[in-house]
Amino acid sequence: MKQFLFTIIFLSTFFKLNAQNFSADVSFGNNGVVINTAISKNPIEIFFQDDKYFFVLSENIVCSYNYNGTSNIGFGLNGVLTFNNTSENYKIKGAKLHNGSIYVYGQLIINSNSNKNGFIVKLSTTGVLDSTFGSNGKVVFDFGHNEESINDIVFTPSSEIYAIGTRNYSIFLSKMNVVGNLDIMFDSNGYKTYPLSANDYSNGINIFSQNNELLLTGSSVIGAKYLALLKVNLNGDLIQSFGINGVKKIEVVSSTDSSTFGLIKTLIKNGVLYFSYTKAYSFSTIYNWLGKFNLNDESLEIAYSSLPFSLPYYFVDENNKLYYTGSVRCSPTTATNCKRDFFITKKNFDGTNDLSFSSTGTYVYDFFPNDFVSDDQSSVFYLHDDGKILIAGYSFNPMTTNGSGLSILRLGETNLNSSGFNFEKSISIYPNPTTNKIYIENNSQKTIKKILIFDTSGKILLEKDSFDQNIDISGFQNGIYFIQLKMDDAHFFKKIMKI
């Protein structure tokens, strides 16, 4: 009984003192929001430097905004740099900010040719292609195969570049100097390949620099599906003491499992390698997951966390807290537009929701709450040191003028005491504890638009999209729960007990 009472007191104190609550930052854009109707692609990466944001889109475009949400007209042409032409399409896989320059990489598709080549584009933070790099700021990799792609890059202290990608269903590694010329001393062909086995099709995904060595991550896609780790020296030679002849294969999907497997992204934080992947049995059974592989003790957690259906983007901070966003699936049978909202979720290292973050572990924002046809797909975020969070993606709303395009939202922390607990005097929830029902009495001037009840792990057990004075929780097990009331610009948060 003492432990039970201590838990109640601790949780109550913890949420009051440590909760992060958010609202749109009115100092950014139009009350915290920017929508650019001229851009119709999702951003896949954000950089922030010198009070300016740089958004790398999924194809052909980098654009920039000032800290206050106005377009950075000193970047490219009125804030936008487009580096394709009518016969080219640059499918962007990622980007890096290095020594004041932005490097964008991926796969170049020439419309009149089925040949697909890897590419790297280098530009300044003023949106100008670097004419000293490659050919007018672009390096194209054509290693003689129809399907080639650059999926990640890493820099040496002297700004030489190692690039990892996929060629002829094998992982390849290339090295070039600071001006983009291939280093023929690294390999006379300009690249080295690392087939996992004679029968494996494989993809090269990411590259990490570690103590004058390179750790390459990739995956196999046929038969048993592996997360593959390869360790090479700076000459690209496999380090034989690592794994088996320089390669470690970590089985993620068994060879007896008929699903397809695709590695999306890997990230290393505090000795743990996080890997996101897609597992699918059919179009209607596609799932994204995040796994963990401890590089020290080699323990493996296949399904550490589920991820959104599309555009999954995640980050792990120094405290091993996981943040992610993306776009949820409309239904099991269609991927067309539907009513989705921007969101960002924060989880603890054990995979449970961090309830100190927006009360439930997830913040949700609807750009057009009064429009039934409004599809807001978040795809990337940036965490500021002062607690502000910028989330970007794409909104589709044919019912509202200027409602579709690149969409940006910036959040600022608000005091939970002023945005939630100040309603204690005007909102009553009783009886508490209760055996079967709770009653909500709203004497405030605000309209309750959503009611959520969730358990101590952050799992939502009940959700109502309109105000209901009588809430039946008779089906809940006895224990502690939390109720959240969402209003236009505030949240009310309270602990309840079922006995």
Side-chain angles (χ1 to χ4, degrees), residues 240-298:
Q240 301 298 306
S241 61
F242 180 80
I244 300 176
N245 299 323
V247 179
K248 288 184 180 180
K249 293 182 177 180
I250 301 101
E251 186 176 275
V252 179
V253 180
S254 168
S255 59
T256 60
D257 192 314
S258 62
S259 66
T260 60
F261 169 75
L263 187 64
I264 302 171
K265 170 186 166 182
T266 58
L267 180 153
I268 296 176
K269 184 68 70 171
N270 298 329
V272 175
L273 186 141
Y274 297 81
F275 59 99
S276 54
Y277 62 96
T278 297
K279 184 178 180 181
Y281 293 93
S282 66
F283 179 78
S284 61
T285 55
I286 300 175
Y287 304 98
N288 288 325
W289 292 95
L290 184 66
K292 292 193 301 186
F293 179 74
N294 191 304
L295 295 172
N296 298 314
D297 63 17
E298 299 196 352

Side-chain angles (χ1 to χ4, degrees), residues 390-410:
L390 186 122
I391 309 174
Y394 180 79
S395 292
F396 172 76
N397 188 347
M399 309 301 294
T400 298
T401 302
N402 298 326
S404 300
L406 168 67
S407 299
I408 309 168
L409 165 71
R410 192 166 74 198

Side-chain angles (χ1 to χ4, degrees), residues 373-400:
V373 182
S374 172
D375 189 7
D376 307 325
Q377 303 173 43
S378 48
S379 59
V380 72
F381 57 82
Y382 183 86
L383 306 176
H384 283 276
D385 293 337
D386 64 359
K388 291 184 178 181
I389 301 175
L390 186 122
I391 309 174
Y394 180 79
S395 292
F396 172 76
N397 188 347
M399 309 301 294
T400 298

Side-chain angles (χ1 to χ4, degrees), residues 34-40 63 65 71 80 394 404-408:
V34 169
I35 297 180
N36 186 337
T37 59
I39 296 178
S40 59
C63 64
Y65 284 84
S71 180
V80 178
Y394 180 79
S404 300
L406 168 67
S407 299
I408 309 168

Side-chain angles (χ1 to χ4, degrees), residues 141-162:
F141 300 81
D142 185 355
F143 294 143
H145 194 268
N146 289 339
E147 283 282 348
E148 296 168 342
S149 176
I150 300 294
N151 296 328
D152 195 16
I153 61 175
V154 73
F155 302 91
T156 68
S158 58
S159 292
E160 295 174 312
I161 302 172
Y162 287 92

Side-chain angles (χ1 to χ4, degrees), residues 80-331:
V80 178
L81 172 65
T82 302
F83 43 81
N84 68 316
N85 58 41
T86 55
S87 64
E88 297 175 334
N89 186 21
Y90 290 81
K91 303 281 286 187
I92 299 173
K93 300 298 183 70
K96 296 284 178 72
L97 179 63
H98 176 73
N99 286 348
S101 294
I102 299 172
Y103 294 78
V104 180
Y105 47 87
Q107 186 178 67
L108 171 61
I109 302 171
I110 307 297
N111 294 339
S112 60
N113 193 327
S114 61
N115 194 29
K116 300 174 183 179
N117 301 317
F119 77 86
I120 301 177
V121 172
K122 181 181 179 182
L123 58 137
S124 70
T125 53
T126 58
V128 177
L129 294 176
D130 188 339
S131 61
T132 68
F133 184 78
S135 175
N136 297 318
K138 305 175 184 178
V139 173
V140 177
F141 300 81
D142 185 355
F143 294 143
H145 194 268
N146 289 339
E147 283 282 348
E148 296 168 342
S149 176
I150 300 294
N151 296 328
D152 195 16
I153 61 175
V154 73
F155 302 91
T156 68
S158 58
S159 292
E160 295 174 312
I161 302 172
Y162 287 92
I164 187 175
T166 304
R167 177 194 178 274
N168 195 21
Y169 308 110
S170 293
I171 299 167
F172 83 83
L173 181 68
S174 187
K175 181 184 179 184
M176 67 208 72
N177 61 22
V178 68
V179 296
N181 295 325
L182 288 173
D183 184 351
I184 60 173
M185 298 297 293
F186 178 76
D187 188 271
S188 59
N189 292 319
Y191 64 94
K192 294 183 177 181
T193 58
Y194 307 92
L196 296 184
S197 75
N199 299 318
D200 279 334
Y201 285 2
S202 57
N203 294 318
I205 300 298
N206 290 117
I207 180 171
F208 304 92
S209 179
Q210 302 177 327
N211 301 319
N212 292 318
E213 297 174 342
L214 301 174
L215 179 67
L216 315 181
T217 64
S219 68
S220 63
V221 296
I222 299 294
K225 288 83 172 180
Y226 295 97
L227 166 67
L229 309 181
L230 301 82
K231 188 169 282 190
V232 303
N233 60 28
L234 297 184
N235 294 321
D237 302 319
L238 288 165
I239 297 174
Q240 301 298 306
S241 61
F242 180 80
I244 300 176
N245 299 323
V247 179
K248 288 184 180 180
K249 293 182 177 180
I250 301 101
E251 186 176 275
V252 179
V253 180
S254 168
S255 59
T256 60
D257 192 314
S258 62
S259 66
T260 60
F261 169 75
L263 187 64
I264 302 171
K265 170 186 166 182
T266 58
L267 180 153
I268 296 176
K269 184 68 70 171
N270 298 329
V272 175
L273 186 141
Y274 297 81
F275 59 99
S276 54
Y277 62 96
T278 297
K279 184 178 180 181
Y281 293 93
S282 66
F283 179 78
S284 61
T285 55
I286 300 175
Y287 304 98
N288 288 325
W289 292 95
L290 184 66
K292 292 193 301 186
F293 179 74
N294 191 304
L295 295 172
N296 298 314
D297 63 17
E298 299 196 352
S299 58
L300 176 66
E301 189 173 346
I302 297 296
Y304 164 55
S305 175
S306 62
L307 291 176
F309 166 70
S310 62
L311 308 170
Y313 182 90
Y314 68 94
F315 173 77
V316 179
D317 68 14
E318 295 301 325
N319 298 313
N320 297 316
K321 301 281 190 174
L322 166 68
Y323 298 78
Y324 67 81
T325 191
S327 180
V328 299
R329 186 157 197 165
C330 299
S331 76

